[in-house]
């Protein structure tokens, strides 16, 4: 402070030349000599240094922590820019203070024939280029970072854990989230970042929906996402799929359903679209009107065919509420493949798979029934399941037959561990994600809950000619032998 006052008192005695340096000199010194200016300079320097160190560590792949990314690509650049803004503000405030004391009323001017000014201008330009380059690199890397599956799935860790976990064991695990959720183009990018901000806010204020609702109403149409990698015209022909079902009465010999699905596509021999992928051919358009948000109650279905003909199929017993704005939806990949990557299992499937793969020893009496009870139990939290599920299975077996436990103790524990892992892959009680919260539309195994092909293929949607949308088994797959 004392030094400052000295300075303030001095200028009258200065020579003309130093007086001329006045406004610039004061401005530049303003950057260093006030606490605010010093803070700005320190903030910028520290931010840049840490950012560069972080960038190198990140590029070398040493650290696998999503929060490091948030710090390097969001917080530190914020610090750097704030620091850079504070410096001229500090200088301006100091200059104004000097003005108040009437020290120098000169205007700032740049005189390039003055070597000090030249040095100042060159220094300023060089520093700016360096700063802008650093910000550019950070923005580029940060853009990729916020688009990575890693960021989407892990930074909002707790919120999207179910989706991330299911994604990690799916056929699309190498496809970044943004390929399906944002797709190419600037407008969707901006929309996604805006809705992303809203979501971050919902996470911070803990006001996000539990579970996250499906279907996603504003999902980008499949032609802009799925069809960038998959070609609807591709002829898949038939695909054989085998389903194994055990029962409590027979844990050792599965009932096998082998079916050949008529996936189809554009048949190269006939040049016609056929089979299941007929719905997504460019020549046909199937659209539908659902009366519920889950799209399980389909009241009307329209078909436009390549020859220009048109049919509307109506299901009389689903009432279309009047006055509400229901939207016709053109069928695309998502109406069948609603779970291409967030594929959740069902308990019975997993228990049967355990028996088939011998993770659950089928020789233990009653193990199928007890496994289903243990895995379906409503645990309060995932920790609760971790602590109690294995014991629960052992207790059920003890009640059934204590000798079972003596003979197969280790196998029962092993079965319990398998069930627990499956449970932890699929259930998050704290987020209200239970078994069956997110169901598939691919087949008709869960038609009773309104999922799958039989939403339309139920022989109950009639057109004017009295035709229905057929449920003939051989339309979609070779008839299974039972
Ligand atoms: C192959 C495409 C694809 C990829 C990759 C993908 N998703 Fe999805 N995701 C979907 C589709 C399709 C839905 C819509 C499901 C519906 O509407 O029923 C969805 C739905 C969601 C939902 C809503 C809740 C739900 O389960 O329906 C969340 C949250 C989500 N995805 C997060 C992610 C995250 C995080 C990643 C990356 C780790 C990711 N997604 C990767 C296709 C994808
Ligand atoms: C970035 C490219 C990409 C995008 C986008 C993409 N997929 Fe895929 N998809 C793949 C690849 C690659 C495979 C093959 C994975 C394998 O067989 O290992 C695949 C496999 C599949 C399969 C077969 C799965 C199986 O069980 O074998 C289906 C069905 C599928 N995708 C549907 C979709 C749908 C629906 C969307 C849009 C929501 C979509 N894909 C978006 C690349 C993509
Ligand atoms: C009418 C329902 C339906 C629609 C619409 C649909 N699919 Fe499929 N798709 C199926 C069924 C059913 C299968 C066989 C599923 C299985 O393997 O269990 C299948 C299989 C596939 C496969 C795997 C083929 C193979 O040989 O393993 C891919 C890839 C695929 N679909 C992509 C798409 C894409 C991309 C779209 C949108 C352009 C689409 N599907 C639209 C029902 C549909
Ligand atoms: C939104 C309603 C709807 C859903 C859901 C639906 N379909 Fe269809 N599907 C139709 C209509 C409408 C037709 C054409 C009926 C007609 O023209 O007589 C059709 C025709 C078909 C055909 C015959 C195509 C041809 O070659 O002419 C197959 C195969 C088929 N569907 C399979 C499926 C499968 C498999 C699923 C479930 C994964 C499914 N559909 C889900 C409405 C639907
Ligand atoms: C609209 C098309 C369609 C019709 C009609 C249809 N199915 Fe299916 N069915 C499918 C699809 C798609 C799958 C495969 C589902 C999957 O991949 O999980 C399937 C799977 C199956 C399976 C194996 C599933 C399991 O868990 O064992 C059986 C069995 C089956 N269908 C029987 C029938 C019978 C019987 C009929 C006639 C009454 C019939 N289906 C009519 C589309 C159809």
């Amino acid at each position: 402070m004392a030094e400052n006052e000295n300075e303030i008192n001095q200028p009258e005695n200065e020579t003309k030349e130093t007086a001329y340096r006045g406004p610039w000199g004061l401005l530049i010194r303003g950057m260093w000599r006030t606490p605010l200016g010093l803070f700005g300079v320190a903030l910028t320097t520290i931010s840049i240094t840490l950012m560069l160190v972080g960038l190198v560590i990140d590029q070398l792949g040493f650290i696998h922590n999503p929060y490091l990314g948030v710090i390097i690509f969001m917080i530190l650049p914020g610090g750097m820019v704030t620091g850079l803004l504070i410096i001229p503000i500090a200088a301006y405030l100091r200059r104004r203070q000097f003005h108040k004391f009437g020290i120098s009323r000169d205007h700032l001017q740049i005189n390039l024939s003055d070597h000090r000014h030249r040095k100042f201008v060159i220094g300023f330009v060089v520093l700016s280029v360096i700063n802008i380059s650093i910000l550019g690199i950070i923005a580029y890397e940060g853009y990729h970072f916020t688009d990575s599956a890693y960021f989407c799935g892990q930074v909002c860790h707790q919120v999207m854990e179910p989706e991330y976990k299911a994604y990690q064991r799916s056929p699309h695990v190498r496809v970044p989230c943004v390929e399906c959720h944002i797709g190419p183009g600037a407008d969707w990018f901006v929309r996604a970042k805006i809705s992303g901000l809203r979501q971050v806010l919902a996470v911070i204020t803990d006001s996000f929906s539990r579970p996250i609702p499906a279907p996603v109403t504003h999902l980008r149409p499949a032609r802009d996402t799925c069809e960038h990698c998959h070609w609807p015209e591709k002829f898949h022909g038939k695909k054989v799929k085998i389903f194994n079902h055990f029962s409590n009465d027979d844990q050792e010999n599965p009932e096998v359903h082998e079916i050949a699905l008529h996936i189809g596509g554009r048949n190269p021999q006939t040049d016609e679209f056929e089979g299941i992928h007929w719905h997504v051919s460019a020549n046909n358009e199937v659209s539908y009107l659902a009366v519920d948000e889950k799209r399980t109650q389909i009241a009307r279905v329209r078909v436009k065919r390549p020859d220009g003909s048109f049919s509307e199929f109506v299901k009389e017993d689903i009432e279309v509420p009047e006055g509400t704005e229901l939207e016709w939806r053109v069928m695309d990949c998502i109406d069948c493949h609603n779970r291409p990557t967030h594929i959740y299992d069902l308990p019975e499937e997993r228990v049967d798979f355990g028996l088939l793969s011998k993770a659950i020893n089928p020789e233990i009496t009653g193990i199928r029934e007890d496994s289903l009870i243990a895995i379906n139990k409503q645990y309060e939290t995932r920790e609760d399941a971790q602590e109690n599920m294995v014991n629960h299975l052992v207790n059920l077996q003890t009640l059934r037959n204590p000798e079972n436990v003596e003979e197969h103790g280790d196998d029962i524990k092993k079965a319990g561990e398998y069930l627990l892992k499956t449970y932890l892959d699929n259930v998050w009680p704290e987020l209200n994600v239970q078994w069956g919260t997110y169901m598939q539309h691919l087949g008709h195994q869960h038609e009773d809950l309104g999922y799958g092909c039989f939403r339309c293929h139920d022989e109950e949607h009639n057109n004017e000619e009295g035709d229905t949308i057929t449920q003939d088994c051989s339309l979609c797959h070779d008839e299974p032998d039972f």
Side-chain angles (χ1 to χ4, degrees):
M1 203 47 210
E3 201 193 336
N4 273 357
E5 274 161 22
N6 267 344
E7 238 180 66
I8 289 166
N9 293 334
Q10 267 172 15
E12 280 133 295
N13 309 333
E14 278 181 1
T15 63
K16 201 163 183 280
E17 202 190 335
T18 27
Y20 171 66
R21 177 169 21 141
W24 277 109
L26 294 175
L27 179 76
I28 293 167
R29 280 188 215 158
M31 297 183 186
W32 313 99
R33 296 267 169 98
T34 65
L36 187 66
L38 238 126
F39 173 70
V41 171
L43 187 62
T44 310
T45 317
I46 294 172
S47 300
I48 292 183
T49 316
L50 289 180
M51 234 155 67
L52 290 176
V53 172
L55 201 63
V56 171
I57 296 180
D58 182 66
Q59 292 289 312
L60 293 177
F62 280 152
I63 296 184
H64 291 283
N65 180 337
Y67 296 100
L68 181 76
V70 173
I71 295 172
I72 302 174
F73 299 120
M74 297 176 168
I75 297 176
L76 290 177
M80 172 179 166
V81 172
T82 315
L84 284 176
L85 290 176
I86 286 178
I87 296 172
I89 292 174
Y92 169 75
L93 289 178
R94 185 170 159 93
R95 208 170 113 81
R96 229 177 48 171
Q97 200 184 26
F98 281 1
H99 269 287
K100 220 162 88 190
F101 290 103
I103 293 164
S104 166
R105 288 181 201 289
D106 290 0
H107 287 293
L108 285 175
Q109 41 181 270
I110 296 174
N111 177 3
L112 284 180
S113 55
D114 181 324
H115 76 277
R116 282 187 314 251
H117 282 201
R118 258 198 328 269
K119 261 196 336 214
F120 173 81
V121 169
I122 292 171
F124 182 80
V125 169
V126 169
L127 273 180
S128 299
V129 168
I130 293 177
N131 281 339
I132 290 170
S133 313
I134 293 177
L135 277 180
I137 295 172
I138 288 287
Y140 178 79
E141 291 294 330
Y143 162 79
H144 285 289
F145 170 70
T146 59
D147 269 9
S148 65
Y150 195 51
F151 175 76
C152 306
Q154 296 238 289
V155 173
C156 293
H157 186 77
Q158 199 229 344
V159 185
M160 295 207 188
E161 199 183 343
E163 281 76 21
Y164 190 54
K165 201 84 186 241
Y167 160 88
Q168 283 177 308
R169 55 172 194 271
S170 84
H172 288 106
V173 61
R174 296 276 181 271
V175 176
C177 320
V178 292
E179 295 275 347
C180 297
H181 284 283
I182 305 178
D187 56 336
W188 280 87
F189 174 77
V190 172
R191 264 196 241 185
K193 297 288 155 179
I194 291 172
S195 90
L197 277 180
R198 214 182 45 234
Q199 287 158 18
V200 169
L201 207 70
V203 173
I204 293 169
T205 56
D206 203 29
S207 61
F208 59 91
S209 327
R210 298 173 174 83
I212 300 177
V216 177
T217 35
H218 300 294
L219 197 71
R220 187 151 183 198
R223 68 177 172 282
D224 298 340
T225 55
C226 317
E227 291 183 23
H228 271 246
C229 300
H230 298 284
W231 187 44
E233 306 235 333
K234 180 180 157 67
F235 187 63
H236 291 275
K238 289 187 186 181
K239 176 181 177 184
V240 174
K241 231 179 147 175
I242 299 168
F243 299 82
N244 293 284
H245 301 282
F246 292 92
S247 66
N248 293 346
D249 298 333
D250 191 347
Q251 301 181 153
E252 297 192 51
N253 306 298
E255 187 177 314
V256 182
H257 298 158
E258 188 174 316
I259 53 170
L261 287 161
H262 304 169
I263 302 176
R266 187 190 287 281
N267 187 331
Q269 280 163 0
T270 57
D271 204 31
E272 296 279 317
F273 254 92
E274 63 179 46
I276 300 173
H277 279 174
W278 164 89
H279 305 77
V280 286
S281 90
N283 305 332
N284 298 304
E285 187 182 283
V286 181
S287 51
Y288 68 88
L289 188 75
V291 297
D292 63 338
E293 277 174 10
K294 290 243 166 235
R295 304 182 188 145
T296 55
Q297 299 283 316
I298 293 181
R300 313 242 155 104
V301 183
R302 283 181 189 155
V303 189
K304 273 193 223 148
R305 299 191 186 81
D307 59 14
S309 65
F310 172 87
S311 280
E312 179 161 330
F313 296 88
V314 178
K315 185 163 178 169
E316 296 294 347
D317 54 355
I318 300 183
E319 236 175 85
V320 179
E322 287 203 12
T324 43
E325 292 268 321
L326 292 176
E327 249 179 68
W328 282 85
R329 186 178 151 82
V330 176
M331 209 171 165
D332 69 19
C333 318
I334 309 295
D335 291 292
C336 299
H337 298 284
N338 64 326
R339 306 260 132 224
T341 194
H342 313 294
I343 308 169
Y344 296 88
D345 309 306
L346 289 170
E348 201 159 313
E349 270 167 36
R350 293 304 294 167
V351 169
D352 283 359
F353 180 75
L355 290 167
L356 191 70
S357 63
K358 305 286 188 284
I360 302 175
N361 181 351
E363 286 167 21
I364 308 170
T365 337
I367 193 74
R368 185 175 188 274
E369 190 175 1
D370 291 346
S371 295
L372 282 169
I373 298 172
I375 203 173
N376 275 309
K377 186 169 184 276
Q378 295 273 325
Y379 298 93
E380 295 281 312
T381 58
R382 286 161 65 82
E383 288 71 30
D384 179 18
Q386 265 163 323
E387 275 163 29
N388 298 312
M389 189 182 287
V390 179
N391 289 340
H392 189 47
L393 184 68
V394 175
N395 293 343
L396 287 166
Q397 281 281 312
T398 315
L399 281 176
R400 186 182 287 276
N401 181 359
E403 281 166 25
N404 252 1
V405 184
E406 257 167 51
E407 195 184 337
H408 295 293
D410 286 347
D411 276 0
I412 296 173
K413 286 221 180 72
K414 195 178 127 204
E417 301 287 344
Y418 164 81
L419 295 176
L420 177 61
K421 179 174 182 305
T422 277
Y423 176 93
L424 293 175
D425 279 347
N426 287 284
V427 181
W428 281 261
E430 297 91 332
L431 299 173
N432 295 330
V433 176
Q434 294 288 349
W435 292 111
T437 297
Y438 297 111
M439 303 275 287
Q440 295 236 34
H441 279 310
L442 264 195
H444 47 82
Q445 291 96 321
H446 305 289
E447 50 159 326
D448 48 330
L449 301 172
Y451 286 86
C453 316
F454 290 2
R455 287 176 296 165
C456 297
H457 290 265
D458 60 355
E459 310 270 1
E460 290 178 26
H461 288 76
N462 297 288
N463 68 6
E464 281 183 344
E465 289 85 48
D467 301 329
T468 61
I469 307 177
T470 174
Q471 203 175 85
D472 178 2
C473 315
S474 61
L475 181 77
C476 307
H477 47 74
D478 297 357
E479 287 208 37
D481 342 293
F482 291 112

